[in-house]
Amino acid sequence: MLPPEDAWRRLEPHLRPLPAVTLPRRKALGRVLARPLTATVDVPAADVSAMDGFALGGPAARGVPLPVAGTVAAGEAPGRRLAEASVLRIMTGAPVPDGVDRVIPVERARVTDEGKTVIFEAPGEAGSHIRRQGEVTRRGDELLPAGALLTAGALALLATHGHAEVPVHRRPRVAILVTGDEVVHPEKTPGPGKLRDSHTDFAVAACRTFGVAAEPLGIVPDDRALLRERIEQGLDADVLLVSGGVSMGEFDLVEQVLQGLDCHILFDAVAIQPGKPLVAAVAAAHHEADGSVSRGHALVFGLPGNPASAMVCFWLF
């Protein structure tokens, strides 16, 4: 019987990222980036104002009116030039004209003569309230590394750089199989000695918290041939969860069936309570005569039949 830490170590060599697929950016929320993505533009694309205010070419003299020569709006093309001994009204995000070395916020200015002149209460500091070209990212910089989780903020970042499609790891295919002569479908009324299946609903919902759609394979009785047939079907998935049939009883057949299907047992008991009778196995890949792979290296977890034990094992392993 293994301590949990040793069980995790036995699993680790068999864990690997799944192959990459390409998704539209807006469908990639919650996915994991398969390769790094880089910046396609400088951000900001030019020197821009960080505030609504006035663009100056040097320190302002306190109390001295200066003529307002015009307005620079956000979205204007760069290249405007500030006339000598004047200022320009400038909006947040607008390109800084040539000859400007500072921006004084509108809160520190008093507009006079119906907006034709402005008086400043302080001279302003050189470089103040100007965001420099590329100070956030430079074209070619890494935006997100491989392995990054694509959150809402990450997707907004990718939109800023025009990444319409993103390479992400394929989601795992998970299959769920419930075993036991005593188990019936949740919508059926259980007869004497029977009980409703709660494992499938738990596993489907729990997988969904990871963004994974699990496929229920139904309920199979404690019959070796039927169990082998259904487990073999489940080995087409990346992960197969089998609940029940993993203890030491005469009808606990899951481990024997897995071995008969060329699955390598990694462990069959873990020193936890609840959850001790947990089986973990790796299926051997099956190759056809033409060289194709008919079945990959599925991970198999034989979860205990007790619902509380199954839940603990699911979240831990």
Side-chain angles (χ1 to χ4, degrees), residues 2-52:
L2 291 178
E5 294 78 10
D6 291 346
W8 290 321
R9 276 193 284 271
R10 290 195 185 182
L11 283 168
E12 190 174 12
H14 304 283
L15 307 180
R16 62 198 181 281
L18 294 171
V21 296
T22 301
L23 287 182
R25 184 187 62 253
R26 290 185 178 178
K27 293 188 177 180
L29 180 66
R31 305 300 286 267
V32 174
L33 201 58
R35 59 175 174 80
L37 292 179
T38 56
T40 61
V41 292
D42 291 347
V43 177
D47 291 355
V48 296
S49 177
M51 301 286 285
D52 290 336

Side-chain angles (χ1 to χ4, degrees), residues 75-207:
E76 262 189 46
R80 199 165 184 177
R81 183 159 192 86
L82 177 65
E84 192 174 346
S86 68
V87 302
L88 284 165
R89 187 186 294 272
I90 193 165
M91 304 295 114
T92 302
V96 173
D98 293 341
V100 169
D101 77 339
R102 71 198 68 200
V103 171
I104 297 180
V106 67
E107 296 87 350
R108 297 179 186 173
R110 180 164 55 91
V111 178
T112 59
D113 193 18
E114 297 181 342
K116 296 177 182 177
T117 59
V118 63
I119 297 172
F120 298 103
E121 62 185 44
E125 295 182 3
S128 60
H129 305 298
I130 294 176
R131 298 174 60 215
R132 298 299 179 186
Q133 179 177 350
E135 72 175 36
V136 178
T137 50
R138 289 275 183 188
R139 183 176 181 176
D141 286 351
E142 183 176 274
L143 286 178
L144 294 170
L149 179 66
L150 293 177
T151 62
L155 295 178
L157 179 64
L158 297 182
T160 298
H161 291 268
H163 289 288
E165 296 185 323
V166 291
V168 297
H169 290 291
R170 175 174 67 76
R171 280 180 169 154
R173 291 173 288 112
V174 178
I176 301 162
L177 179 64
V178 176
T179 75
D181 293 338
E182 74 280 18
V183 184
V184 300
H185 194 275
E187 273 64 57
K188 288 187 177 179
T189 300
K194 307 292 185 181
L195 52 86
R196 291 185 173 99
D197 165 33
S198 65
H199 290 272
T200 300
D201 280 65
F202 165 74
V204 167
C207 287

